[in-house]
Amino acid sequence: MLGMRTSNDEAVAIGPGVWWIGALDPDLRSFDIILKTANGTSYNSYLVRGSEGVAVIDTVKKEFAEAFFARLESVADYAEIRHIIINHLEPDHTGALPELLRRAPHAQVYISRRGQTMLKALLKDEGREYIPVQTGDRCSLGDRELHFLSTPFLHWPDTQCTWLEQEQMLFSGDLFGCHFCDNRLFNDQVGDFRFSFEYYYAHIMRPFKQHVIDALEILDPLQPRLIAPAHGPILRDRPRDYMQRYRDLSRPRLRNELGEGEKSLLIFYISAYGSTTAMARAIYAGVSEVEGVRASLYDLEGSEAGPFVDLIEEADALIIGSPTINGDAVKPVWDLLSSLVVIDSKGKIAAAFGSYGWSGEAVRMISDRLRGLKMRVPHEGLRLKLIPTDDELGECRAFGKEMAERLMGRFTAPKEIDYADLV
Ligand code: FEO
């Protein structure tokens, strides 16, 4: 087991009257199924003591409640707990909440406005009242106050941060967290966790970049002296470096060399016998006819999905081509599409195309997936049987042109004439 403190389930002071009372989970190898955790993780919970009571900020995953309660009991009695703050209601932070409420029945629970309904549903306790809070709301512990900051969608709608003004401490929930387990707790003492920090951002926060930027606008002026996230090391050494890193990661990468008013359209394809390649090239030619659209053409056989995900994140439109093999699109296409969950692709214009031999399901399946990613798919997609003829390549060219015109807002659908009107 990685450096455990199990023989000593005591709270760890992180500042005057403030303790870490969380739990270590060094054996976890996968979080929420999708995240690898080579170093395990921690469920960080904190206890703040004031002259008029105690507040607990977040709890731990249910299976780790024992260590959490042992640490809590090492610094406070349950009767002292007046306030429980839920910065984020995912079960890794609320698993021990029902038992905590049983042990501290008079504590009031503070949660974001978006979170309260969901928390009732999660705990199957419709009768309990929670105090909904937002930026500007405060909770007094007598000689110190906790301030609530609304920072939603990081990475659930309910997320918020809590600020302890007197100590300039930020309790940030999943924000600035990472899955890294080390009983030395503080960023200036633990092992090298930079990979985990960036990996966590890439998989948890990246789809919500604009919300990260919005949160930083709120948090930057506070100039935290310490950031206490819900997972991973407590950031007491140069905490603002981690905020700056989030800002950098949330900005566009190298500037895409688009001119003023230009838009970017990416075409990805893969081909078994060259027919889908021929379609892709004709579509590319059609897109390139439209002024203001910068077209790029990529063969999925030539790269892993990762770099393409980066490109798609900053592109305005996307066209994907696949042959139909065994009634399906081919694996590299699905690899790319499944990788897009880590970015915000909502609202991009998208379409599918492909050559087929017998049934041709791939185009519809890709289109459905693009819609599932909340892209705008204005065309049913272009399917051609076997080897495209010159006329059909002309159709591809027109399809590409149409998509580019749609992207630029210049597409006018051909008028349909009802012959009944002509007689
Ligand atoms: Fe750590 Fe979103 O839960």
Side-chain angles (χ1 to χ4, degrees), residues 31-32 88 90 92-93 155-156 174 179 200 204 230-231:
F31 187 90
D32 276 359
H88 176 29
E90 200 168 358
D92 52 323
H93 307 298
H155 58 127
W156 278 19
D174 283 345
H179 291 308
Y200 189 89
I204 299 289
H231 296 288

Side-chain angles (χ1 to χ4, degrees), residues 33-73:
I33 309 168
I34 55 169
L35 248 77
K36 294 296 173 194
T37 50
N39 178 271
T41 193
S42 60
Y43 311 107
N44 294 336
S45 169
Y46 302 95
L47 187 143
V48 183
R49 178 176 287 285
S51 62
E52 294 177 14
V54 158
V56 172
I57 301 175
D58 293 324
T59 73
V60 300
K61 197 172 177 179
K62 189 177 179 185
E63 293 78 0
F64 294 82
E66 194 179 333
F68 162 73
F69 286 119
R71 290 192 170 102
L72 189 159
E73 288 166 15

